[in-house]
Amino acid sequence: MANTIYIRLRHKFKAALNDCIKIGKMANVIAPRDMKNVICDLDVYKIRPEDNKFVVIDAMDVIQAIHERYPDCDIQTVGPQQTIIEVESEKKGPRTVLFLLVWVLLFIGAGLTIMNFHEDVAMSSVHQKIYFLITGRENAKPLILQIPYSLGVGIGMILFFNHIFKKRFNEEPSPLEVEMFNYQQDLDQYIILQENKKAEAKRHGDG
Amino acid sequence: MVMDDVLLIIVGFSGGLAVGCGFVAFLTVLGIIPRLTQLTKTYDAIRKYEWSVILGVLASTWFGLRYSSFSLPGFLLIPIGLAAGMFVGMLAAALTEVLNVFPILAKRLGINEKILLLMMALVLGKVLGSFFHWTYFIDQ
């Protein structure tokens, strides 16, 4: 009787310290009903304090656990080959102060860089030149050009990040959201590789 | 004499070619035009936008180098300034994005939901920095 068991690991989830991770929690399982309940209840891993922030569980670990219980079953994995478990540490204090610091940092930094940019590209003389080009008069401080310009800088940035018109205009993700997603993806990939390497080293050390 | 002129033409043409290529490459890397077509849903007009950029560059190169003047009323400077500012703002935003500042910052601080506020810091900083520059700093 070659029962086939299909498992699909979840990509990522959170668990607390000292949790016992059961297969049912970290994977979708398709199997005959009586077996499925048993399989979902199998322990794969217990989170220990020395695991730090991430634990990666390989599909092989899951297969091993099932295999021990049902040696003559055919196990098929679908989808991701690893699951990342994010270990939730104790609640951290409010991040408000840190947030405000970053806010001020960005605010001042942004102001400084735009001024640097203006000096760097001699924006002031360009503005004077445009003023002369249009009106035929000289003006050392063409504020009629520079005030709309300053407002435009802000509008352009907001437009680029698509925040004001998000609801009204466009359901496509903003570049920032795509960027966040890509970054997270890269991070996950890195964690999987690193944790695998560590686990490998440990196994060799034991043997 | 003729040799000098020929040489100058070659140098000028080569310089212009290099600058033009660099300009287009820079615009392409930052992806401002695709972003604008995406916002306005005018994907098929992208060729026309290309021409708009080329003509804009050509016109301002010519008039900028020739010190021409049109003696037009001053209020025309308001839309020009606004457009110039928006373009620079988009450049700045695109540069921030290319450098991956926000994802890293938000991840490090664990403040994904407040990223809009962080962005406002950047935008307000740019606007007020620019105001400060033109109204006060420039007199110093």
Side-chain angles (χ1 to χ4, degrees):
Chain A
M1 56 134 220
N3 277 321
T4 307
I5 301 168
Y6 295 95
I7 51 175
R8 189 174 75 188
L9 297 186
R10 289 171 62 185
H11 181 61
K12 195 174 187 184
F13 66 93
K14 290 180 177 160
L17 202 61
N18 298 323
D19 269 5
C20 261
I21 308 297
K22 295 185 190 308
I23 290 179
K25 195 172 177 194
M26 60 177 289
N28 288 339
V29 180
I30 299 178
R33 184 165 300 150
D34 50 327
M35 285 167 72
K36 182 176 171 174
N37 290 338
V38 178
I39 290 170
C40 284
D41 221 33
L42 288 174
D43 287 336
V44 186
Y45 192 83
K46 185 173 190 301
I47 296 174
R48 294 162 304 183
E50 61 265 35
D51 283 332
N52 288 335
K53 193 133 173 43
F54 296 102
V55 181
V56 173
I57 296 186
D58 201 90
M60 295 300 280
D61 299 332
V62 179
I63 293 174
Q64 168 129 40
I66 301 174
H67 191 71
E68 269 167 20
R69 186 65 185 250
Y70 297 109
D72 49 358
C73 270
D74 180 23
I75 304 166
Q76 301 277 346
T77 62
V78 184
Q81 297 298 305
Q82 288 94 1
T83 298
I84 300 174
I85 303 173
E86 219 180 318
V87 182
E88 279 180 322
S89 41
E90 298 86 70
K91 204 90 184 88
K92 286 196 188 109
R95 299 251 191 186
T96 327
V97 180
L98 209 55
F99 172 75
L100 283 176
L101 272 176
V102 171
W103 203 95
V104 171
L105 176 82
L106 283 176
F107 179 78
I108 293 175
L112 178 75
T113 46
I114 196 81
M115 285 168 72
N116 274 336
F117 166 73
H118 288 158
E119 289 290 310
D120 208 27
V121 301
M123 188 64 90
S124 168
S125 64
V126 172
H127 281 173
Q128 285 161 14
K129 218 179 226 177
I130 295 175
Y131 188 89
F132 178 74
L133 178 71
I134 300 292
T135 63
R137 280 169 281 137
E138 299 278 353
N139 186 346
K141 276 179 81 177
L143 284 181
I144 191 170
L145 176 70
Q146 290 172 332
I147 287 171
Y149 167 87
S150 303
L151 290 174
V153 171
I155 296 172
M157 291 189 75
I158 292 172
L159 263 185
F160 191 87
F161 286 133
N162 192 20
H163 267 293
I164 283 186
F165 300 113
K166 198 180 202 169
K167 299 274 152 17
R168 236 188 318 161
F169 234 54
N170 205 321
E171 305 81 48
E172 280 172 75
S174 88
L176 203 61
E177 281 160 339
V178 175
E179 207 58 47
M180 298 279 295
F181 175 80
N182 283 341
Y183 182 67
Q184 189 62 52
Q185 204 85 320
D186 288 350
L187 221 61
D188 289 350
Q189 202 58 37
Y190 179 85
I191 289 166
I192 287 172
L193 284 177
Q194 285 301 310
E195 293 288 322
N196 257 359
K197 226 185 263 174
K198 259 190 250 167
E200 202 87 346
K202 212 184 277 174
R203 249 172 249 153
H204 283 294
D206 289 348
Chain B
M1 197 55 202
V2 180
M3 262 323 280
D4 280 5
D5 285 347
V6 170
L7 205 63
L8 279 175
I9 287 172
I10 292 173
V11 170
F13 184 69
S14 322
L17 213 63
V19 170
C21 289
F23 183 84
V24 170
F26 185 61
L27 268 189
T28 311
V29 168
L30 293 177
I32 290 174
I33 299 174
R35 186 79 196 111
L36 280 170
T37 56
Q38 191 198 11
L39 275 174
T40 52
K41 298 225 153 88
T42 47
Y43 301 98
D44 20 334
I46 200 145
R47 275 287 138 77
K48 287 165 197 147
Y49 293 145
E50 278 172 13
W51 279 108
S52 146
V53 171
I54 293 169
L55 291 177
V57 166
L58 279 179
S60 50
T61 305
W62 186 248
F63 295 125
L65 292 178
R66 304 269 312 162
Y67 293 97
S68 332
S69 178
F70 297 119
S71 305
L72 295 169
F75 70 85
L76 280 174
L77 287 163
I78 294 173
I80 292 176
L82 197 66
M86 280 170 72
F87 194 82
V88 169
M90 295 191 90
L91 277 184
L95 215 57
T96 315
E97 187 211 288
V98 170
L99 296 177
N100 244 350
V101 175
F102 272 111
I104 293 170
L105 214 69
K107 188 75 199 162
R108 283 280 149 272
L109 295 170
I111 41 177
N112 272 325
E113 63 287 353
K114 285 191 200 133
I115 196 151
L116 186 74
L117 277 173
L118 282 184
M119 221 200 72
M120 284 335 272
L122 213 64
V123 170
L124 282 176
K126 289 269 187 232
V127 172
L128 293 180
S130 186
F131 270 128
F132 175 71
H133 191 204
W134 301 129
T135 52
Y136 179 78
F137 182 78
I138 205 154
D139 297 327
Q140 300 306 298

